[in-house]
Amino acid sequence: MMKFKLLGMLLAMFCMQNAFSQAKTISGTVSDTGGMPLPGVSVIVLGTTNGASTDFDGNFSLKNVNIGDQITVSYVGMATKTLTVGNQNTLKITLEESLEALEAIVVVGYGKQSRATVTGAVSTVDAEEMSALPVTNAESALQGGRAPGITVVNGGVPGSSPVVLIRGLGTFGNNSPLYVIDGVIVGNLSGISPNDIENVSILKDASTTAIYGARGSNGVVLVTTKKGKSGKSQLSFNTYTGGFNKTRNVTTP
């Protein structure tokens, strides 16, 4: 009799472990304190590139989420909220206004403006968000819903830079945005480490990219690098490694 009880307990524990380890899909809505839905809200699993953005009605759907994962919900002008995933599959999230976020400085063209005074379509990603991801290039740090309206497609060639699309395909030719690092126009962000970036501003509409003329027709990615600060010296180190394996040989005639 004791053997059957012990076997039953082990089976129950095994089933519970499987239930907790299974990934699931979470859906929900995001609104402000007045009940108005918020479109373009970033919903991201903390420490991963798994994320989504809310649609026009404030709805979102996030796949491959495990119980115990933490989800960050962020929106321009709103205080970021962090939630822990439980047994629920549907979430109703309310964000509150943040005066600190409205006072943030945004790089626009050749100058800077307060977030509250910017009327164009601008998305920003700061150093704290980028450092939370285990990525080796700056373009990959923009994926996962961190910058609404931005699509990052990984290249198929080992070592190649990802392709960044702002608001989808704009032409049948070159769809790459214009990259500007500290006021200097560059071809891509492959030559700069994500750890050296203070913040990234993505200019997405005509009013914010007009200063760059035709070169800014596919959008503009403005990068501000870190500067020296007074105080004690700090040293940090991290490293990543990876590899590529071919799945099969392709013979050509």
Side-chain angles (χ1 to χ4, degrees):
M1 188 67 179
M2 290 295 295
K3 291 183 178 180
F4 285 107
K5 288 184 178 180
L6 181 60
L7 182 61
M9 292 176 62
L10 292 175
L11 183 61
M13 292 176 62
F14 178 76
C15 293
M16 290 178 62
Q17 183 178 4
N18 283 343
F20 279 102
S21 62
Q22 288 180 350
K24 61 180 180 178
T25 299
I26 291 180
S27 59
T29 58
V30 183
S31 59
D32 59 13
T33 53
M36 293 294 294
L38 297 175
V41 178
S42 296
V43 184
I44 303 172
V45 179
L46 189 63
T48 71
T49 58
N50 183 20
S53 298
T54 58
D55 58 17
F56 184 78
D57 296 320
N59 300 317
F60 71 91
S61 179
L62 192 59
K63 299 180 180 179
N64 299 324
V65 182
N66 297 308
I67 294 177
D69 286 347
Q70 288 188 317
I71 297 177
T72 59
V73 184
S74 59
Y75 187 68
V76 175
M78 297 290 183
T80 300
K81 180 173 288 188
T82 302
L83 306 172
T84 302
V85 178
N87 295 322
Q88 71 275 29
N89 295 325
T90 304
L91 300 175
K92 188 175 182 181
I93 304 171
T94 302
L95 296 182
E96 298 178 351
E97 292 185 359
S98 173
L99 295 178
E100 181 180 354
L102 291 175
E103 294 172 355
I105 299 300
V106 178
V107 180
V108 181
Y110 293 112
K112 297 181 179 180
Q113 294 183 14
S114 170
R115 165 67 72 180
T117 62
V118 175
T119 58
V122 180
S123 297
T124 57
V125 180
D126 58 23
E128 184 177 354
E129 291 180 287
M130 299 187 72
S131 61
L133 291 174
V135 294
T136 57
N137 54 70
E139 290 98 334
S140 297
L142 301 178
Q143 64 185 353
R146 275 177 164 73
I150 309 301
T151 303
V152 180
V153 182
N154 291 322
V157 180
S160 63
S161 299
V163 178
V164 178
L165 300 175
I166 298 179
R167 290 189 170 179
L169 296 173
T171 176
F172 289 107
N174 182 18
N175 287 279
S176 298
L178 180 68
Y179 296 98
V180 182
I181 301 178
D182 290 336
V184 179
I185 296 177
V186 297
N188 53 53
L189 301 182
S190 60
I192 184 171
S193 169
N195 296 323
D196 295 333
I197 296 177
E198 182 69 27
N199 62 68
V200 178
S201 296
I202 299 98
L203 314 183
K204 297 181 286 187
D205 66 351
S207 64
T208 54
T209 61
I211 192 173
Y212 296 101
R215 290 185 296 179
S217 59
N218 293 324
V220 182
V221 178
L222 300 176
V223 178
T224 302
T225 58
K226 295 179 179 178
K227 306 294 189 299
K229 298 179 181 179
S230 60
K232 295 182 179 180
S233 300
Q234 294 182 349
L235 176 64
S236 61
F237 173 79
N238 56 60
T239 181
Y240 304 100
T241 183
F244 293 89
N245 293 319
K246 58 183 179 182
T247 56
R248 61 188 179 90
N249 293 322
V250 178
T251 58
T252 57

